[in-house]
Amino acid sequence: MTAELPQQSNVPGEPHPAEDRRHMVRRRALTLLIIVLLIGVPAGYLMISAAQSRASGKDKEARYSATGLTEGWPSRLQRRLYQVPLPHPAWWVASYETNNWKTSRLYVEFETTDAGLSAFLAGMGVQESELKRDDLPINDRDREITGWTFDGPGTWSGLVHVQKDPAPTREVVVNHDKPGYPRVYVVSRTVP
């Protein structure tokens, strides 16, 4: 037994049945949806991507055109390269990096707790007892670049941690003006 299948007429000139209104509206809506998905979604994605790229470029431009300390933590890469282990908690953090063919420097300023200062110095590989009272090892050139003046109230102390190249040499100055909340100034210098 074979079932008979309806045959479609392929005869030219024979009229096709008219499309009803509901089917036509559904077909046009489906066509419109496909056009929106094929054109609209990629176009929207490109617009969002371009806006994000433009914003990223402006952020980088602002960061690299800075001519002094800029509020905010240095990047993880900078902290690792210059071996500046910022403690937690730390606030009022500002940093600035300079590079030339001879020397690269990272300037960092922050405030922390006494425990944070101990952790910072231990992370550098030095002891708090190595801080020398009234020793300000950061030179005038570096002070001028950052705008640091070490003439305010409080007990000032500092140290220099020299390491063999290419490891950075770090100069640290600490102000104990606010008891329990030392202000720390760091210049980390490396020779590429």
Side-chain angles (χ1 to χ4, degrees):
M1 263 183 135
T2 59
E4 290 192 32
L5 298 173
Q7 293 184 347
Q8 293 182 350
S9 77
N10 290 333
V11 179
E14 189 175 310
H16 293 283
E19 182 178 33
D20 66 340
R21 179 157 177 73
R22 200 171 81 195
H23 184 262
M24 179 187 68
V25 169
R26 188 179 314 153
R27 182 178 49 81
R28 286 184 179 174
L30 184 61
T31 303
L32 180 63
L33 178 65
I34 290 170
I35 290 171
V36 167
L37 290 175
L38 290 175
I39 296 172
V41 171
Y45 174 78
L46 286 173
M47 288 174 46
I48 292 169
S49 178
Q52 289 174 343
S53 178
R54 188 175 303 116
S56 173
K58 287 181 181 178
D59 292 346
K60 287 178 183 175
E61 179 185 0
R63 186 174 5 155
Y64 294 118
S65 67
T67 56
L69 288 171
T70 305
E71 184 179 327
W73 286 58
S75 70
R76 288 179 190 235
L77 178 64
Q78 288 173 318
R79 286 181 272 164
R80 188 169 46 94
L81 289 175
Y82 291 99
Q83 297 177 6
V84 179
L86 287 178
H88 290 282
W91 52 92
W92 306 110
V93 179
S95 65
Y96 179 57
E97 182 181 19
T98 62
N99 297 299
N100 63 36
W101 63 277
K102 279 191 342 190
T103 307
S104 296
R105 289 180 178 85
L106 178 67
Y107 303 90
V108 182
E109 171 183 357
F110 62 93
E111 190 170 298
T112 187
T113 61
D114 285 336
L117 175 62
S118 296
F120 168 71
L121 294 172
M124 282 180 45
V126 297
Q127 301 295 320
E128 203 165 342
S129 60
E130 294 180 52
L131 286 170
K132 296 177 190 155
R133 190 175 179 148
D134 296 325
D135 182 19
L136 305 174
I138 297 176
N139 64 38
D140 291 336
R141 177 194 175 280
D142 292 332
R143 291 182 198 186
E144 186 177 317
I145 289 171
T146 57
W148 291 336
T149 57
F150 301 133
D151 55 6
T155 304
W156 293 87
S157 57
L159 66 84
V160 177
H161 184 238
V162 179
Q163 301 183 95
K164 187 176 179 181
D165 288 338
T169 295
R170 293 161 296 181
E171 300 163 349
V172 178
V173 172
V174 180
N175 182 1
H176 296 279
D177 180 32
K178 290 197 274 184
Y181 299 101
R183 187 100 180 131
V184 182
Y185 305 85
V186 183
V187 177
S188 181
R189 178 175 40 263
T190 184
V191 178

